[in-house]
Amino acid sequence: MKLGVNIDHIATLRQARGTVYPDPLDAAILCARAGAHGITAHLREDRRHIQDDDIFRLKELQPLPLNLEMANVESIVEIALSVQPAEVCLVPEKRQELTTEGGLNVIGHFEHLKETVTCLNEAGIEVSMFIDPDIETIVACKDLGAPTIELHTGTYCDAEPNEAAVFMEKLIKAADYAHDLGLKVNAGHGINMENLGGILCLPHLDTLNIGHSIICRSVFLGIEGAVKEMLDGMQDYTG
Ligand code: PXP
């Protein structure tokens, strides 16, 4: 299983003071050195952390495949087409939210999403749909022609211990179903060293995309140490 490191919150630190440091590009280079398999960055409409220029530099100047998280809005799709990241992960986005709060409403926005997925597919960019573990939504992703889904693990990761098993069961069913349909299955949101053990029970995972907890750990361990710690925790995954 691969690790994609989301470096948004390096940019959050930079934007907090309007400085030029810390640079997400430097972080990405160190993540690569520590053994990460990919870099994820979310270009939000409000540009609260990652800026347009970061995305272009992350594509050109660091060695790992770039996964660009973005909302399905025309101006950002245009940027994606110009940057040509290895992968685009389509996410829902609300301006006031602290972080991506739920999965995409694929059924409700099917036609609009289909246009974007088709256009990105034609440009040779792998499209991943960030979704809640819901079977009808998975079917809709398949119908859209998206090759990959990313299961939103946030509800499981934030659940009280007595509720976690119910959410885990939904995630397992969703991963099995998507795999049987031939979709690639990634997972992300809210994953940290404490809940990683539960996440490793999910079958068929290709990649975990992890941001906040790794950047937080890097305050104490350095970013290479934090990435290595997560990779060590992931190494017993059997699929
Ligand atoms: N995957 C997606 C689609 C996300 O939107 C995010 C948050 O930006 C993550 C993974 C990483 O979540 P976290 O920062 O909680 O690890």
Side-chain angles (χ1 to χ4, degrees):
M1 180 166 52
K2 292 179 262 183
L3 172 63
V5 182
N6 180 318
I7 41 76
D8 291 349
H9 295 306
I10 299 292
T12 301
L13 283 175
R14 179 190 61 193
Q15 300 309 114
R17 282 293 180 94
T19 48
V20 293
Y21 62 84
D23 187 343
L25 174 62
D26 292 339
I29 291 167
L30 292 174
C31 289
R33 218 157 74 178
H37 305 93
I39 293 297
T40 295
H42 186 172
L43 185 65
R44 295 187 75 101
E45 275 188 278
D46 63 11
R47 306 299 199 269
R48 69 172 73 158
H49 38 53
I50 293 290
Q51 307 296 304
D52 300 39
D53 176 56
D54 293 326
I55 294 296
F56 284 93
R57 290 185 310 121
L58 286 166
K59 168 68 196 316
E60 294 303 326
L61 301 175
Q62 59 81 37
L64 297 177
L66 176 64
N67 171 27
L68 172 59
E69 281 178 15
M70 51 178 254
N72 183 23
V73 292
E74 204 180 322
S75 58
I76 310 265
V77 174
E78 273 170 23
I79 293 171
L81 290 170
S82 148
V83 172
Q84 293 278 314
E87 183 177 349
V88 156
C89 181
L90 291 172
V91 301
E93 198 175 290
K94 294 188 224 115
R95 285 194 181 238
Q96 279 78 26
E97 69 190 356
L98 284 179
T99 179
T100 317
E101 281 167 2
L104 277 167
N105 178 357
V106 180
I107 297 167
H109 301 291
F110 190 88
E111 289 309 323
H112 188 209
L113 283 165
K114 191 162 178 67
E115 250 175 63
T116 302
V117 170
T118 305
C119 169
L120 293 168
N121 277 344
E122 282 170 1
I125 299 169
E126 178 180 336
V127 185
S128 172
M129 312 293 286
F130 188 50
I131 57 167
D132 292 318
D134 171 72
I135 299 298
E136 285 179 10
T137 303
I138 292 169
V139 173
C141 290
K142 176 76 181 174
D143 292 346
L144 276 179
T148 303
I149 59 163
E150 179 170 327
L151 291 172
H152 193 316
T153 50
T155 314
Y156 166 77
C157 291
D158 296 340
E160 297 297 328
N162 61 335
E163 292 177 328
V166 176
F167 295 122
M168 178 46 67
E169 203 175 311
K170 283 189 186 165
L171 285 165
I172 291 173
K173 273 193 191 143
D176 275 333
Y177 196 88
H179 178 75
D180 288 350
L181 283 182
L183 297 170
K184 184 162 123 185
V185 183
N186 298 335
H189 214 280
I191 301 172
N192 58 35
M193 289 306 294
E194 277 68 50
N195 58 35
L196 179 64
I199 295 293
L200 299 187
C201 299
L202 280 174
H204 315 302
L205 292 180
D206 182 90
T207 299
L208 292 183
N209 285 312
I210 308 179
H212 186 260
S213 73
I214 290 180
I215 304 307
C216 289
R217 285 293 281 163
S218 73
V219 171
F220 301 106
L221 302 179
I223 195 158
E224 285 184 80
V227 169
K228 282 182 187 155
E229 180 183 62
M230 190 59 75
L231 286 168
D232 277 354
M234 290 164 56
Q235 72 180 353
D236 293 333
Y237 182 64
T238 54

